[in-house]
Amino acid sequence: MTEETRHELVKKAMDMRKFSYTPYSHYRVGAALLTKNGKIYGGCNIENAAYTPANCGERTAFFKAISEGEKEFEAIAIVGGPESGVVDYCPPCGVCRQVMMEFCDPETFEIILAKNRDHVKTFTLKELLPLGFGPADLEK
């Protein structure tokens, strides 16, 4: 992936934070998911008074893409922090990692965590979910 594409994903993830619905935690997360064919899907977290029906920004981006027929993904950028601004890296929760495992190659799928354009850390899905359980495990 080019540095330009990485920056574009981080910018989109940062922009998506403004759409977050976070009246309870006040913690806004934006995500930008890159498909293998170069399309970018944005997502944000959406909270609910009952808590359990809440949805993370990463899953919002995945579900939008999948609902439009996409099934092959290259990378996701994630930016999160309090409403006042991003102060640290925001890794995906376990549920989001499991959704990624369903649709992504853990060896090559990149998870880009950013505080801003200049402070970025990149991991593979396998690094963040080393013993992930996915569709291939059901074929054994």
Side-chain angles (χ1 to χ4, degrees):
M1 173 184 316
T2 68
E3 200 62 29
E4 181 180 331
T5 301
R6 187 171 277 110
H7 286 309
E8 183 181 356
L9 288 173
V10 169
K11 182 182 181 322
K12 175 74 170 178
M14 292 174 72
D15 290 345
M16 290 305 300
R17 290 182 74 238
K18 69 181 170 226
F19 299 113
S20 292
Y21 176 73
T22 58
Y24 310 107
S25 73
H26 306 286
Y27 191 91
R28 295 174 177 252
V29 177
L33 177 63
L34 178 65
T35 67
K36 290 274 186 182
N37 64 14
K39 190 166 181 183
I40 297 173
Y41 287 86
C44 64
N45 56 326
I46 304 164
E47 295 180 345
N48 188 286
Y51 294 112
T52 304
N55 203 49
C56 298
E58 301 92 304
R59 282 182 281 143
T60 299
F62 267 95
F63 297 160
K64 284 170 62 176
I66 293 162
S67 72
E68 293 186 23
E70 300 287 353
K71 297 275 187 331
E72 295 183 353
F73 305 100
E74 185 174 333
I76 191 167
I78 306 163
V79 178
E83 290 174 346
S84 59
V86 176
V87 294
D88 206 353
Y89 297 103
C90 177
C93 75
V95 174
C96 288
R97 294 176 200 201
Q98 185 60 46
V99 168
M100 292 174 196
M101 190 69 191
E102 183 71 19
F103 295 99
C104 304
D105 179 346
E107 300 282 344
T108 61
F109 184 73
E110 292 185 29
I111 300 169
I112 303 160
L113 308 180
K115 292 185 201 181
N116 56 48
R117 184 178 168 172
D118 298 319
H119 292 89
V120 175
K121 292 183 178 184
T122 303
F123 302 90
T124 63
L125 177 55
K126 185 172 184 175
E127 289 175 306
L128 295 186
L129 191 63
L131 297 173
F133 185 85
D137 294 294
L138 296 175
E139 296 172 3
K140 294 178 181 176

